[in-house]
């Protein structure tokens, strides 16, 4: 059974940093494109950053220059380094794994940025 588990969320002051992690189990991690999404209360779930199977990354305009996505295929893990955090980054952050046939989601981890 495929599972994704996020960790690393928490409370941080504006301007601070957090590093989120997501571990996949039950399948071959290297065959999935990995994406971080976030959802604030009453808001749509939006793409934050994605990384494909060869390591090419893309970012939402709102986080470019501040966030970095990376993956370690040997550890079945994807990361989101978040720097210069803003209150508007406050949301539940979700890890997604997708390939041609499957689409999996983690349970989410809360990120709260205080002003």
């Amino acid at each position: 059974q495929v599972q994704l588990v996020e960790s690393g969320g928490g409370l941080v002051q504006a301007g601070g940093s957090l590093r989120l992690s997501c571990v996949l189990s039950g399948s071959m991690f290297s065959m999935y494109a990995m994406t971080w999404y976030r959802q604030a209360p009453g808001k749509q779930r939006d793409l934050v950053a994605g990384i494909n199977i060869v390591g090419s990354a893309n970012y939402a305009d709102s986080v470019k220059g501040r966030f970095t996505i990376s993956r370690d295929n040997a550890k079945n893990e994807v990361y989101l380094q978040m720097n210069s955090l803003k209150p508007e980054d406050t949301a539940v952050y979700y890890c997604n794994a997708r390939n041609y046939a499957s689409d999996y989601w983690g349970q989410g981890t809360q990120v709260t940025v205080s002003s």
Side-chain angles (χ1 to χ4, degrees):
Q1 184 176 351
V2 174
Q3 289 186 312
L4 294 171
V5 179
E6 302 99 330
S7 63
L11 175 64
V12 66
Q13 292 184 334
S17 298
L18 286 172
R19 182 176 179 264
L20 306 183
S21 297
C22 173
V23 178
L24 179 145
S25 62
S27 192
M28 187 177 294
F29 179 81
S30 62
M31 299 299 294
Y32 292 89
M34 303 298 298
T35 307
W36 288 97
Y37 290 78
R38 67 187 181 188
Q39 187 169 25
K43 297 284 190 176
Q44 178 180 317
R45 186 174 296 188
D46 292 327
L47 184 147
V48 178
I51 187 165
N52 68 15
I53 60 173
V54 297
S56 296
N58 63 282
Y59 300 91
D61 288 342
S62 59
V63 306
K64 284 181 180 177
R66 300 189 296 121
F67 291 10
T68 302
I69 188 170
S70 60
R71 66 190 296 159
D72 186 338
N73 289 344
K75 292 181 168 60
N76 292 357
E77 196 159 8
V78 63
Y79 310 96
L80 186 67
Q81 179 66 48
M82 305 185 294
N83 299 325
S84 302
L85 283 162
K86 305 174 180 179
E88 52 262 45
D89 296 319
T90 295
V92 177
Y93 284 69
Y94 296 92
C95 178
N96 171 261
R98 185 166 62 187
N99 65 12
Y100 69 96
S102 303
D103 189 1
Y104 301 105
W105 292 89
Q107 83 288 349
T109 185
Q110 177 71 49
V111 172
T112 303
V113 184
S114 62
S115 59

